[in-house]
Amino acid sequence: MAENILLCVLGTLGFCCVLNAPKKHIAYILLGAFISAGVYEICEKRLMLGVFSSTLLSAVIVEFYSEIIARIVKTPATVILIPAEVPLLPGGYLYYAMTSLVNKRFDSFTHYAALTVSVAFALAMGAVVCLLVLVGIRRIKERFT
């Protein structure tokens, strides 16, 4: 489990280098990647949640983390969020789906394609949940000020 999280963080560091992420934000990005990979691993391996639930919970937590850090360091949240969500991307499932399709193993293809769509949907839902909560907090704050 720890080696998976470490590899996710190192992969995120490589992603940051390739895409020229701001050097002053790399520590925050790597901490976000650690959080997203860690929450995912705990949810899937320890709590035995499914891929969708693990990804959704991890996405929501890393979204909130990115919003908080973005306000602290005064940068757009996407600068932190996009690289920090790299460990959650369904690249492996997509690879296996395409390999199965090319090799005409259609049962395997449908399985991995469904997992790919499920993870992508969970990432999108994580963003929506975070946005709804933040808008709700902002509206409550405006009413009382």
Side-chain angles (χ1 to χ4, degrees):
M1 186 162 107
E3 55 274 350
N4 286 346
I5 297 170
L6 177 64
L7 289 173
C8 287
V9 171
L10 289 175
T12 301
L13 178 61
F15 184 82
C16 290
C17 292
V18 168
L19 295 180
N20 287 333
K23 289 182 182 20
K24 62 184 177 181
H25 299 313
I26 288 181
Y28 302 117
I29 292 169
L30 294 180
L31 180 59
F34 177 80
I35 291 169
S36 67
V39 170
Y40 180 84
E41 287 289 323
I42 289 169
C43 288
E44 190 180 42
K45 302 289 192 285
R46 303 287 174 153
L47 301 177
M48 304 302 254
L49 298 177
V51 172
F52 178 81
S53 301
S54 300
T55 304
L56 178 62
L57 186 59
S58 183
V60 168
I61 290 172
V62 82
E63 295 264 350
F64 281 118
Y65 165 79
S66 298
E67 290 289 337
I68 292 166
I69 293 299
R71 282 173 174 68
I72 292 170
V73 298
K74 296 178 179 30
T75 189
T78 55
V79 170
I80 307 295
L81 175 66
I82 301 302
E85 280 191 335
V86 165
L88 302 177
L89 296 178
Y93 296 135
L94 183 60
Y95 171 79
Y96 292 129
M98 292 300 106
T99 301
S100 298
L101 183 64
V102 168
N103 293 327
K104 297 182 177 145
R105 292 189 317 243
F106 298 112
D107 55 336
S108 226
F109 167 73
T110 56
H111 171 72
Y112 286 115
L115 284 173
T116 302
V117 171
S118 175
V119 170
F121 186 67
L123 288 171
M125 288 301 300
V128 169
V129 167
C130 181
L131 179 66
L132 290 175
V133 170
L134 291 175
V135 167
I137 290 171
R138 192 172 301 131
R139 285 185 181 170
I140 291 170
K141 190 176 170 183
E142 288 172 358
R143 284 186 185 169
F144 292 109
T145 57

